[in-house]
Amino acid sequence: MRDDGTSILDGVRIAGREGHWRLSAEGGRLALAPSQATGGGVVLPLMADAHVHLDKTYTSARMPGRPATLFDAIEMMGREALNWTESDLRARATLALGRAHAHGTGAMRSHVDWTTPGEPLAWGVLNDLAQDWRGRVELQLASLSPLDLLAEAGEEIARRVARDGGVLGAFVYRNEQLCEKVARVFDLAERHGLSLDFHVDEGLEPEARGLDAITEETGRRGFGGRVLCGHGCALSVRPEYERRAVLDQAGAAGLTLTVLPTTNMWLQDNRPGRTPRLRGLAPFIEARAAGVEILFASDNVRDGFYPHGDYDMADIFRAAVLGAQLEPEDWLGAVTTEAARWCGAVQSLEDGGPADFVWHDAADLDDLVSRPRAARQVWRHGRALEGATP
């Protein structure tokens, strides 16, 4: 920090730009200039976490045991939800938002379980928190209802979600009359002007065809850019010719896929006393090659689905890179600029733009992935956050 109050970093690498740079920030705006200096670390845009569950978070210590399957976890969390109170929800979600903010996340989309036509307690609590955290973490909410409920009694849910500026979501897995029910959800979205976010095919049964139905409806309705699908694990075990056909259609339809590396690798192919054979990851490298936009996100954090995590998108990025053998430079947008757009935010590093970024004590992205404990500073409005280095 100079005496005139201008913040300066020199000799830094900026993700996505060649060479080294000098960053200065005055009045909360960023100025970029090429630099001959080196060794200044790596600067990334703020992170965005486009798929979390703030209503469930930090409940793992309350679980009676480790679930054997996805549906075991759903049942356990359903019993746990009966005990939630407004103060409990607020305290846990506030802790989560604080950890995300400290790690450099500037935008987030949280799903909220909505299992009856009436509004769940968590929806109101998290809407209040979204207002409280504006300017620190831009929080967007998505309802999460079983497909059968939303298809049959979703009008009240869609109306409330639209009123609060949220996203309409459904859990889809081997439902009967799948195509008809998916079409009804799209009807709701059209009537109420809503975007859609599906939990789909979150398992390893090749018979799961939810992604097929959603892709077909997205293309037929011209909903490209308005439909986000999370998980898609079952696609990894389907025959190659089917997988290729679905991904080509998804790319043409403008679908986006969120990959949840930590939760999916933890919960899928989970059998006691046996090393997992399958990673539970959708074939997202092939999906992006077919034109499908890919995001990475935290999903569950310290709950019945996944007992670990700290709302650190650098950790999620590292898990994806290692789990799928990725080149880090090619995928950074999946946790920064592209993910932010789906959360209704704009997060980038541009000359004259907001001086919001994350500095890492690393030589490049490969070094950052290799040294997860390297020092970090989160900068907001041109100043490093006090005590924000994890």
Side-chain angles (χ1 to χ4, degrees):
M1 178 77 71
R2 296 193 321 199
D3 291 341
D4 63 1
T6 303
S7 303
I8 292 180
L9 294 173
D10 201 10
V12 302
R13 299 289 299 273
I14 299 178
R17 294 175 183 259
E18 296 294 327
H20 291 81
W21 295 81
R22 183 177 186 268
L23 274 63
S24 59
E26 187 172 6
R29 312 307 292 183
L30 190 64
L32 305 178
S35 175
Q36 297 302 310
T38 61
V42 174
V43 169
L44 309 181
L46 293 179
M47 299 287 192
D49 203 345
H51 183 129
V52 302
H53 294 266
L54 293 181
D55 53 349
K56 300 182 176 78
T57 197
Y58 294 113
T59 58
S60 56
R62 307 175 188 178
M63 295 298 106
R66 177 173 172 174
T69 68
L70 168 69
F71 290 96
D72 285 344
I74 292 172
E75 183 180 350
M76 285 188 348
M77 289 304 311
R79 292 196 300 268
E80 159 63 21
L82 298 175
N83 302 315
W84 293 349
T85 64
E86 182 176 341
S87 60
D88 172 52
L89 285 159
R90 179 175 291 276
R92 292 187 286 103
T94 297
L95 175 59
L97 288 162
R99 296 306 299 156
H101 182 242
H103 285 112
T105 291
M108 179 181 283
R109 177 184 287 187
S110 178
H111 298 270
V112 181
D113 280 11
W114 201 315
T115 56
T116 66
E119 178 189 335
L121 177 64
W123 185 262
V125 172
L126 293 178
N127 263 296
D128 289 344
L129 283 175
Q131 301 303 316
D132 295 345
W133 281 81
R134 185 163 292 168
R136 292 176 290 170
V137 178
E138 304 304 321
L139 176 60
Q140 181 187 66
L141 299 185
S143 62
L144 176 56
S145 302
L147 177 63
D148 293 352
L149 170 68
L150 198 58
E152 297 300 327
E155 191 66 35
E156 182 179 343
I157 297 173
R159 188 181 303 114
R160 181 55 190 263
V161 170
R163 192 194 80 178
D164 292 336
V167 175
L168 191 65
F171 176 84
V172 179
Y173 197 72
R174 299 184 66 180
N175 301 74
E176 295 181 359
Q177 299 177 309
L178 174 65
C179 293
E180 293 89 340
K181 291 173 182 175
V182 166
R184 288 180 207 158
V185 173
F186 276 80
D187 289 341
L188 289 170
E190 284 189 329
R191 282 200 298 273
H192 294 278
L194 292 165
S195 294
L196 293 168
D197 195 330
F198 294 93
H199 284 57
V200 57
D201 298 344
E202 189 180 354
L204 295 175
E205 288 79 18
E207 298 81 17
R209 295 289 191 277
L211 194 61
D212 308 49
I214 294 166
T215 294
E216 182 174 346
E217 203 66 30
T218 300
R220 188 172 74 83
R221 307 246 186 169
F223 256 53
R226 293 177 58 186
V227 180
L228 191 57
C229 289
H231 300 290
C233 310
L235 199 59
S236 67
V237 294
R238 288 175 61 177
E240 178 61 28
Y241 73 92
E242 289 186 9
R243 181 162 52 242
R244 188 181 308 115
V246 172
L247 293 178
D248 286 346
Q249 187 177 17
L255 207 70
T256 296
L257 175 66
T258 309
V259 176
L260 300 313
T262 51
T263 301
N264 284 157
M265 286 195 287
W266 176 264
L267 198 55
Q268 301 301 320
D269 198 19
N270 182 349
R271 301 182 194 176
R274 167 185 172 277
T275 304
R277 306 291 191 267
L278 303 173
R279 299 187 182 194
L281 297 177
F284 64 88
I285 298 175
E286 299 92 325
R288 190 163 82 164
V292 178
E293 186 175 45
I294 302 298
L295 312 180
F296 303 140
S298 294
D299 199 8
N300 301 89
V301 175
R302 301 195 196 185
D303 62 18
F305 294 84
Y306 182 64
H308 308 296
D310 195 27
Y311 290 98
D312 184 355
M313 288 306 295
D315 183 52
I316 297 300
F317 182 63
R318 184 174 190 267
V321 167
L322 299 181
Q325 303 165 351
L326 306 178
E327 294 294 332
E329 287 279 359
D330 296 338
W331 295 89
L332 186 62
V335 295
T336 56
T337 52
E338 294 156 20
R341 188 176 69 252
W342 277 95
C343 298
V346 177
Q347 295 178 175
S348 61
L349 289 171
E350 302 294 338
D351 190 51
D356 298 331
F357 55 86
V358 186
W359 172 88
H360 293 265
D361 181 19
D364 51 30
L365 279 182
D366 287 326
D367 192 31
L368 190 156
V369 168
S370 299
R371 298 191 301 117
R373 294 182 181 86
R376 180 190 327 186
Q377 279 187 328
V378 179
W379 289 63
R380 302 300 300 268
H381 313 299
R383 293 181 178 273
L385 297 183
E386 292 290 335
T389 302

